[in-house]
Amino acid sequence: MKNSNLNQQATASYDFTGKVVLVTGSASGIGKSTAAKFHGFGAQVVITDINKEEGSKTAAALGERAVFLPCDIRNPKQVGDLIDKTVELFGRLDIMVNNAGINTTAKADRVTIDQYPSDTWQKMIDVDLNGTFYCCKAAAKVMIGQNGGVIVNIASVAGVVALRLQSGFVAAKAAVLKMTEAMACELAPYGIRVNAVSPGSILTDTTRNLFYSETGSFSAMAERLVSFIPQGRPGVAEEIADAIVFLSSGSASYINGHNLVVDGGWTCGFNRDF
């Protein structure tokens, strides 16, 4: 794997003191890194996830100014209760990061459309699209009342260029990108900005289990995948977190309805052999 050594530059400094940030799917991975970034810049952070044990550990590790509230984003009532509890605890909601999402991981689910399981399709739509919609809807109601806020939806390169054998995930993430644009048009008059971040291949526990370990389900494809990335490596969760924090900051005050692709250059010369 070329350029596998990651020489990260110093992270930019931001001030989110007094801001209330809610990050879905933040018990681990990109969500956890994002919550930690905001917390490090002074924000009050709400960790939420279906994994209660890991979510509680994440909040406890951050310590003061962090709280864990469990939520299954597929359930609109739970989402409404989550937003209400956040406002009850902190008085407002300034930044909503819709990171919670899933993809197919079993070989049996990575098949062409004629064989694609209907229950897998429904699961992708329920979590990645409907869940994001429920969160956006509930957060927008609060932010409209405040006359301000930021929403960042985590999509995927799969919503920009179609990946093979992942019809449900591709469809859901493409829909999230268009929903983001529609929301940006609707909510800007209320002082609310809405943007998206589309990660490429990122090192997480899930992708290690799929690609980036000798025992991964698709480990034989890892070298080919990375060969399509000009930077010659997968990204790390902190690099996606940096993009999310930037879009949420005053430095991005005139960025609205944008999809920030963070993929090491994968899609700029996209090879459809993967």
Side-chain angles (χ1 to χ4, degrees), residues 10 28 33 44 52 82 113 122 155 160 165 191-192 246 258 261:
S28 61
S33 293
Q44 303 271 4
K52 296 180 181 180
L82 169 69
I113 188 69
Q122 194 60 55
V160 179
L165 311 181
I192 303 166
F246 164 68
H258 180 67
V261 177

Side-chain angles (χ1 to χ4, degrees), residues 129 132 153 155 159-160 170-186 194-196 198 257-259:
L129 180 56
T132 300
N153 294 323
V160 179
V170 169
K173 292 302 186 179
V176 166
L177 290 177
K178 283 303 172 185
M179 182 173 69
T180 297
E181 294 176 2
M183 290 170 57
C185 294
E186 296 169 0
V194 188
N195 291 292
S198 285
H258 180 67
N259 176 35

Side-chain angles (χ1 to χ4, degrees), residues 95-115:
I95 299 165
M96 180 80 186
V97 180
N98 292 307
N99 167 75
I102 59 172
N103 194 1
T104 50
T105 56
K107 286 186 177 181
D109 290 332
R110 295 264 175 130
V111 291
T112 53
I113 188 69
D114 57 304
Q115 302 174 59

Side-chain angles (χ1 to χ4, degrees), residues 24-25 48-52 69-83 96 98-103 118-138 172:
T24 67
T48 187
D49 205 288
I50 58 172
N51 189 328
K52 296 180 181 180
L69 299 175
C71 180
D72 182 342
I73 65 169
R74 296 173 297 180
N75 186 318
K77 183 182 185 306
Q78 287 191 30
V79 171
D81 291 344
L82 169 69
I83 300 300
M96 180 80 186
N98 292 307
N99 167 75
I102 59 172
N103 194 1
S118 295
D119 60 339
T120 301
W121 171 274
Q122 194 60 55
K123 189 187 302 181
M124 296 295 106
I125 299 302
D126 283 345
V127 178
D128 293 344
L129 180 56
N130 292 345
T132 300
F133 165 73
Y134 298 144
C135 290
C136 287
K137 180 178 180 179

